Amino acid sequence: MKPDDSGGRQRNVLGGLLGSCSEKPMTGFFRDGCCNTSEEDFGSHTVCILTTAEFLEFSRARGNDLTTPRPEFGFSGLQPGDRWCLCAARWREALLAGKAPRVVLNATNEAALLIVSLDDLKRHAIDLN
């Protein structure tokens, strides 16, 4: 479901057009700055998060070290305060463990709703008034 050449864009969990998550660091399954997804994205990298030290440690302890630079993949490592397209199942796992990071709803792909609830995402949103 990657955006097509006609300018079609994927939608966010609020029903609007999917916004940008981060270009510094560059994120997304397609490394396009957005949490776009497709059938090839088995991890469903669809939840735009604001990283915290607590979450980054939780993820490292669960076998996904997001802080160590991996230059061979053009990845400089994440720091607290970075935005990142996270796998929806990892976000749900963090939620159940009480370690869920904050979420940017406008940049979280509606495909995440197949794995996590909108209510849970809203409770952790940074972009709701």
Side-chain angles (χ1 to χ4, degrees):
M1 293 186 311
K2 188 173 187 212
D4 59 34
D5 293 335
S6 67
R9 295 204 13 223
Q10 294 183 24
R11 303 199 78 71
N12 65 40
V13 294
L14 300 175
L17 292 179
L18 185 64
S20 176
C21 183
S22 176
E23 293 183 4
K24 290 186 180 181
M26 186 62 78
T27 190
F29 180 75
F30 296 103
R31 291 299 190 260
D32 59 2
C34 294
C35 298
N36 288 308
T37 191
S38 73
E39 292 177 7
E40 292 83 29
D41 180 14
F42 297 113
S44 186
H45 296 77
T46 52
V47 180
C48 181
I49 66 163
L50 182 65
T51 61
T52 63
E54 181 182 45
F55 170 75
L56 291 169
E57 175 54 30
F58 169 81
S59 188
R60 187 194 64 72
R62 298 295 170 114
N64 187 20
D65 182 0
L66 297 171
T67 60
T68 299
R70 299 289 305 266
E72 67 271 27
F73 299 115
F75 180 66
S76 60
L78 298 179
Q79 302 295 317
D82 287 340
R83 289 185 178 194
W84 190 249
C85 291
L86 186 67
C87 294
R90 175 70 68 189
W91 190 85
R92 184 183 64 203
E93 181 183 9
L95 175 70
L96 295 174
K99 310 281 186 193
R102 303 294 304 272
V103 174
V104 183
L105 295 175
N106 288 314
T108 295
N109 195 304
E110 67 183 353
L113 298 176
L114 297 172
I115 299 169
V116 298
S117 78
L118 182 56
D119 287 341
D120 285 337
L121 291 170
K122 282 182 173 181
R123 279 193 290 278
H124 290 82
I126 63 172
D127 56 344
L128 273 183
N129 295 334

